[in-house]
Amino acid sequence: MTDDSAAIRRLWGRLLYEQQAEPLVWAEAVLRVTGRPQAAVAAAMSGRIDALDGADPAFLLFRTVGKLSANLCRNALYDEDVGERIGLLALRLGGLEPSLAGPLGDALGHLPDGPASLVTVHAAELRAGRTARIRAIDALLRWAELGHPQALAALHDVASDHRTQDVTVWTKALNRIALFGDADLEPGLLRAVADTGHHGVRWSAVACGELGFRSAVPLITALLEHPDPQTREGACEALGLLGAGTAVPALATRLNDDNGWVRTAAARALGDIGGDAALSALWQTMLERRNPKAGHLAAAIAAFGPAVVDDLIALTTDPDPDLRALACRALGSTADDRALPVLERLVAHDPARTTLGGLVATAAKQGLRTAHRMRRADSAAGPAPGPTTDPATG
């Protein structure tokens, strides 16, 4: 047995039952292999197992299979663990009595020979019933994490054509596209993004973003008008991953989306894309909305780094407490040296309240904490290419 023995036995145990078209016939065949007399086999098959006894190594297997057949006779229900127990007992019995190993294997189905057998079965199960498909995709993803080439190939096939896949299987695979994705998937993913009625279109768009398929930008930009907010959010994320400068005007409109998650995703995407147009859109929206809880806007502006620090410092003197609070949030996320004394001054000297009742001084204190945390992290990690931002909130 290999280090994968437990997984192999579990799979085998399930197959012992699932691959039997006539489970009662199968159970009786296993009982006969143990060498029990016909009377005992008949008793077990009729459910009379309470009087069975015996000291030979075959007894435990005999009794377990007898219980299985009795349960099937009564209600046709199967205990999912029984198959695995039978498999383990058969392995033990085959070791104790080598003469039974071959017949037991013939009756039960032989033990898979290792991970390749497991992956082969899971790949085949992608064409089975829905429960089996979900179980199979989860198993294939676990094998793919270990770099198993057959699992990677099976997942690649799944991602090649959304039209042939269960939507849950499709989305689970695309969530881990970095494990197996390559340029060969571009035609299929473009086709999936164009299928705007497909329930997995959001994941198709993000997968294109993760794999850098810039030819998908026009299709993904169109998804910003999709009626489903989750799809609009995914489109924003994908465009940010692609650095799609041509999508800045469309993303700017999503800063005023009815859905908060979409607004946050649009701000992040503009921060990722960068450039004067993206910064202008973020700045204009922050000034117009004047929402002191719009941390996603502040964090996205902070992503532009040192270039925005002076403007944010100037905003801390604005008469509007809401804008001063937002400036504090953004300054903290820059972790810039120039921001620290400004935030310290506001903590001590700005007791004004925002329209939501919070203190500007409290926002400044939160900004200071963010800046100090980021600076500590930068010191521990060594020299970094530039400041990062806190996850957007609000």
Side-chain angles (χ1 to χ4, degrees):
M1 298 292 288
T2 69
D3 292 338
D4 307 301
S5 58
I8 293 170
R9 287 197 301 268
R10 283 195 298 273
L11 174 69
W12 188 37
R14 179 164 54 78
L15 295 180
L16 294 182
Y17 177 72
E18 291 183 352
Q19 292 182 348
Q20 306 305 317
E22 298 290 343
L24 288 175
V25 174
W26 168 64
E28 185 172 0
V30 174
L31 290 173
R32 291 184 183 281
V33 167
T34 65
R36 290 288 174 170
Q38 177 57 36
V41 172
M45 292 299 294
S46 65
R48 300 194 304 273
I49 57 175
D50 54 306
L52 297 177
D53 57 60
D56 59 273
F59 174 68
L60 190 55
L61 176 65
F62 179 78
R63 185 175 178 85
T64 302
V65 178
K67 287 182 178 180
L68 169 61
S69 62
N71 288 339
L72 289 170
C73 283
R74 282 196 293 270
N75 54 23
L77 296 177
Y78 172 65
D79 177 353
E80 292 183 359
D81 295 329
V82 169
E84 184 177 353
R85 291 203 299 271
I86 293 173
L88 291 172
L89 290 168
L91 284 177
R92 183 180 178 189
L93 178 58
L96 291 172
E97 296 190 19
S99 62
L100 290 179
L104 280 171
D106 292 338
L108 290 170
H110 291 275
L111 183 69
D113 59 7
S117 294
L118 288 170
V119 175
T120 298
V121 170
H122 293 316
E125 286 180 329
L126 291 173
R127 298 184 294 274
R130 190 171 191 277
T131 300
R133 293 198 301 269
I134 303 305
R135 181 176 60 210
I137 195 66
D138 289 338
L140 287 169
L141 287 168
R142 288 192 295 270
W143 285 110
E145 288 173 354
L146 300 174
H148 194 287
Q150 193 176 353
L152 295 171
L155 292 169
H156 192 279
D157 287 344
V158 168
S160 296
D161 191 348
H162 73 290
R163 297 168 298 183
T164 62
Q165 301 299 331
D166 178 282
V167 67
T168 302
V169 170
W170 173 258
T171 57
K172 280 176 173 282
L174 295 196
N175 273 336
R176 305 302 305 279
I177 194 72
L179 287 173
F180 59 88
D182 59 28
D184 291 340
L185 292 178
E186 186 167 1
L189 285 174
L190 290 176
R191 185 169 54 245
V193 175
D195 186 358
T196 59
H198 187 251
H199 291 305
V201 67
R202 178 240 189 257
W203 287 267
S204 305
V206 174
C208 285
E210 291 188 13
L211 295 178
F213 295 159
R214 296 191 58 80
S215 58
V217 168
L219 291 170
I220 298 174
T221 302
L223 290 179
L224 293 174
E225 302 296 331
H226 197 280
D228 174 39
Q230 189 176 43
T231 299
R232 298 198 300 275
E233 179 196 7
C236 292
E237 180 182 348
L239 292 168
L241 290 169
L242 290 166
T246 58
V248 166
L251 285 166
T253 66
R254 292 303 108 201
L255 293 175
N256 294 303
D257 195 278
D258 292 338
N259 183 278
W261 294 106
V262 177
R263 294 195 298 270
T264 297
R268 287 175 176 166
L270 290 168
D272 290 338
I273 292 169
D276 292 343
L279 177 59
S280 176
L282 289 164
W283 197 269
Q284 180 180 348
T285 302
M286 185 173 72
L287 295 178
E288 289 177 352
R289 291 181 68 89
R290 295 174 179 258
N291 179 358
K293 298 294 286 183
H296 60 289
L297 294 172
I301 290 172
F304 287 80
V308 299
V309 172
D310 288 339
D311 288 336
L312 288 171
I313 289 174
L315 193 61
T316 64
T317 64
D318 191 276
D320 188 339
D322 289 347
L323 291 178
R324 297 203 300 277
L326 280 169
C328 291
R329 284 174 172 264
L331 282 172
S333 293
T334 67
D336 191 279
D337 290 341
R338 292 168 289 173
L340 300 183
V342 175
L343 292 171
E344 291 168 353
R345 175 179 57 79
L346 292 169
V347 168
H349 300 295
D350 196 336
R353 291 190 177 274
T354 68
T355 53
L356 296 180
L359 297 175
V360 174
T362 301
K365 186 180 297 184
Q366 292 170 341
L368 271 177
R369 282 201 297 265
T370 298
H372 288 312
R373 183 173 64 251
M374 293 174 63
R375 291 164 72 90
R376 285 194 301 270
D378 287 344
S379 296
T388 59
T389 64
D390 273 356
T393 58

